[in-house]
């Protein structure tokens, strides 16, 4: 009961004992809402008599320690979160409707978390209902498995970013995290956090990410991320993608609520021409059977700038996606898929978007020098041929015949 407002917990049970000599309450079993919420580990609450005897207008100090703690709270955490050497020190001020935490300490993996916090309640919103607010100032020293961090990330806090990373971040280490939270009752009433309400920063290393489920994962990623109240940004200076080098990577989630904003993934990719063609064959681009060159025979090196956008929804059809590609392939060579012809010495430009991709530039086909080849592949075109070719240059009769233009027999 805080200033006349009653907060209740239904379906709870716990088991413990009280040590009179040390004035310590020891709880070894705690469950709330039946068995759906459980806290594992031995909870030690010191100076219990001071808490119990505190008058409504008095501040009640508390000191809680747990050698080990497992939080299994469905609806709050996506999976059980485990900690060791947990210590929580603070005070309850019922008159002010607040709980202040002067020390929060916990260890998980190789990481050590230290923080201070305040939880309070105040009237907010058009209906002036009592709503919670929370302030946190903390840091994580050391490294923690990325999936473990996601398990500790409360559902609903920066939910768009949490859900996105839960789908895309499949491994790695999180380190050097700082947490600054100032979520006010007015933010809860509004249903959308101010950007200033949250500033969480962390580094990732040796990370693996699956941005598109049908495409190769990004691996060996190193970067840093910032979560603000209603926005998430990640920079990835270096990574690997389908045996290629990734630099200048960025992930931008410009608006977490309301849902549906366009998430943007951009990067510079450099590698072998074969790897680039193999990526173009993957869904959702799906150019595999329409590529004029067999990817397994391709040589040369390419560099492309790639930008992909998709709605921030759990299911987004490819028709709603947007992407841009701009790059080049140097010294390109390979065998054509539909003709008995080898090409070489290609210096090609690649440009395109979700509607069509165009490859153009000078190249040699057999013994013939082609001043300009231009191949445009229309993506998702219905009712018309998807491929268009424009070729200009000097050809030998044999090369024209192999390309399917037997004009020599009529000469």
């Amino acid at each position: 009961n805080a200033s006349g407002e009653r907060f209740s917990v239904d379906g709870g049970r716990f088991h413990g004992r009280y040590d009179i000599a040390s004035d310590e309450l020891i709880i070894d079993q705690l469950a709330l809402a039946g068995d759906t919420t459980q806290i594992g580990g031995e909870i030690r609450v010191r100076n219990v008599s001071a808490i119990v005897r505190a008058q409504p207008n008095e501040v009640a100090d508390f000191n809680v320690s747990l050698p080990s703690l497992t939080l299994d709270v469905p609806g709050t955490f996506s999976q059980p979160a485990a900690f060791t050497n947990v210590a929580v020190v603070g005070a309850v001020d019922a008159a002010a409707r607040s709980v202040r935490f002067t020390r929060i300490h916990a260890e998980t993996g190789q990481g050590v978390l230290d923080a201070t916090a305040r939880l309070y309640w105040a009237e907010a919103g058009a209906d002036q209902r009592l709503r919670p607010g929370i302030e946190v100032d903390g840091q994580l020293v050391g490294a923690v498995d990325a999936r473990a961090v996601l398990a500790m990330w409360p559902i609903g806090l920066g939910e768009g970013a949490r859900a996105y990373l839960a789908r895309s971040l499949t491994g790695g280490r999180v380190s050097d995290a700082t947490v600054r939270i100032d979520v006010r009752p007015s933010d809860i009433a509004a249903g959308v956090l101010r950007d200033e309400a949250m500033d969480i920063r962390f580094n990732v290393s040796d990370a693996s990410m699956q941005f598109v489920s049908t495409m190769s994962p990004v691996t060996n990623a190193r970067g840093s991320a910032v979560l603000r109240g209603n926005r998430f940004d990640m920079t990835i200076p270096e990574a690997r993608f389908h045996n290629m080098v990734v630099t200048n990577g960025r992930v931008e989630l410009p608006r977490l609520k309301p849902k549906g904003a366009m998430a943007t993934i951009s990067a510079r990719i450099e590698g072998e021409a074969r790897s680039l063609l193999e990526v173009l064959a993957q869904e959702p681009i799906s150019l595999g059977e329409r590529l004029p060159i067999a990817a397994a025979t391709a040589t040369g090196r390419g560099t492309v700038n790639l930008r992909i956008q998709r709605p921030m929804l759990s299911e987004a059809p490819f028709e709603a996606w947007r992407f841009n590609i701009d790059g080049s392939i140097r010294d390109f060579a390979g065998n054509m898929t539909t003709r008995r012809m080898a090409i070489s010495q290609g210096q090609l430009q690649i440009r395109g978007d979700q509607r069509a991709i165009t490859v153009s530039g000078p190249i040699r086909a057999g013994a013939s020098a082609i001043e300009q080849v231009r191949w445009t592949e229309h993506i998702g075109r219905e009712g018309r041929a998807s491929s268009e070719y424009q070729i200009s240059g000097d050809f030998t009769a044999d090369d024209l015949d192999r390309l399917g233009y037997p004009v020599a027999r009529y000469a």
Side-chain angles (χ1 to χ4, degrees):
N1 191 337
S3 296
E5 295 290 339
R6 183 176 297 276
F7 303 94
S8 61
V9 177
D10 297 325
R13 59 185 174 83
F14 76 93
H15 179 272
R17 64 189 186 275
Y18 174 65
D19 188 323
I20 298 177
S22 63
D23 192 20
E24 187 175 55
L25 176 63
I26 303 169
I27 302 172
D28 54 27
Q29 186 181 24
L30 177 63
L32 305 175
D35 288 327
T36 61
T37 298
Q38 299 187 41
I39 299 177
E42 193 173 75
I43 305 172
R44 293 179 175 268
V45 184
R46 299 183 180 90
N47 302 321
V48 175
S49 59
I51 300 174
V52 174
R53 295 171 182 169
Q55 297 300 310
N57 59 345
E58 292 180 338
V59 175
D61 297 328
F62 61 85
N63 187 325
V64 181
S65 64
L66 300 90
S68 65
L69 169 65
T70 300
L71 290 175
D72 187 0
V73 189
T76 299
F77 300 105
S78 60
Q79 54 186 295
F83 306 89
T84 59
N85 298 323
V86 178
V88 181
V89 180
V92 178
D93 188 341
R97 295 189 291 214
S98 71
V99 182
R100 186 174 296 278
F101 302 88
T102 55
R103 180 177 185 242
I104 300 174
H105 175 91
E107 301 174 15
T108 180
Q110 297 178 341
V112 178
L113 172 67
D114 284 291
T116 59
R118 183 171 76 102
L119 180 64
Y120 64 98
W121 288 263
E123 292 86 359
D127 56 3
Q128 286 296 288
R129 283 178 50 198
L130 201 64
R131 291 180 168 89
I134 184 170
E135 299 170 355
V136 179
D137 188 342
Q139 62 178 354
L140 174 70
V141 177
V144 180
D145 181 86
R147 299 300 300 178
V149 171
L150 289 172
M152 294 181 282
W153 189 328
I155 296 172
L157 183 64
E159 179 56 24
R162 190 204 66 81
Y164 180 81
L165 291 177
R167 292 193 303 268
S168 61
L169 186 59
T170 58
R173 307 285 288 174
V174 171
S175 62
D176 305 318
T178 60
V179 180
R180 306 284 185 271
I181 296 176
D182 179 19
V183 177
R184 301 171 183 174
S186 57
D187 296 326
I188 303 299
V192 177
L193 297 182
R194 300 164 292 118
D195 280 346
E196 301 80 12
M198 190 183 307
D199 190 303
I200 301 176
R201 300 168 184 259
F202 58 90
N203 295 330
V204 295
S205 60
D206 197 24
S208 55
M209 306 174 188
Q210 189 86 41
F211 290 119
V212 183
S213 62
T214 56
M215 302 187 77
S216 298
V218 173
T219 60
N220 303 112
R222 176 183 63 83
S224 59
V226 179
L227 170 64
R228 295 182 176 87
N230 202 35
R231 180 184 179 92
F232 176 81
D233 296 272
M234 175 180 282
T235 59
I236 306 172
E238 60 179 2
R240 303 282 298 180
F241 172 63
H242 200 77
N243 298 317
M244 296 180 286
V245 175
V246 176
T247 56
N248 299 333
R250 287 192 60 85
V251 178
E252 300 174 71
L253 311 185
R255 190 189 72 222
L256 305 181
K257 287 185 178 182
K259 296 180 179 181
M262 297 295 279
T264 301
I265 304 166
S266 59
R268 181 178 179 84
I269 304 171
E270 182 174 359
E272 299 295 329
R274 173 177 177 172
S275 297
L276 285 172
L277 293 183
E278 289 173 347
V279 168
L280 291 177
Q282 296 177 357
E283 295 181 6
I285 301 176
S286 304
L287 295 185
E289 296 182 355
R290 291 176 283 173
L291 290 172
I293 306 300
T297 68
T299 61
R301 289 193 64 82
T303 302
V304 297
N305 295 308
L306 180 64
R307 185 171 183 261
I308 299 175
Q309 292 184 299
R310 60 155 290 172
M312 290 176 57
L313 301 170
S314 56
E315 297 293 335
F318 181 60
E319 292 74 17
W321 292 39
R322 300 290 181 267
F323 72 86
N324 293 89
I325 184 171
D326 183 4
S328 63
I329 302 180
R330 306 175 300 279
D331 303 320
F332 182 65
N335 296 331
M336 296 188 68
T337 55
T338 58
R339 297 287 186 268
R340 295 181 298 105
M341 175 72 72
I343 63 172
S344 61
Q345 300 179 28
Q347 309 299 325
L348 305 175
Q349 299 294 315
I350 305 173
R351 290 184 175 85
D353 55 26
Q354 69 279 355
R355 296 167 297 182
I357 295 177
T358 298
V359 180
S360 61
I363 201 168
R364 290 191 68 85
S368 301
I370 301 177
E371 296 174 0
Q372 181 73 14
V373 62
R374 182 182 179 89
W375 166 54
T376 299
E377 185 64 34
H378 296 271
I379 300 174
R381 173 187 276 187
E382 297 180 359
R384 298 170 56 190
S386 63
S387 301
E388 296 178 0
Y389 294 92
Q390 296 178 11
I391 304 174
S392 60
D394 297 325
F395 297 87
T396 67
D398 289 341
D399 287 340
L400 281 175
D401 189 54
R402 282 193 289 269
L403 286 170
Y405 303 102
V407 295
R409 71 181 63 174
Y410 303 108

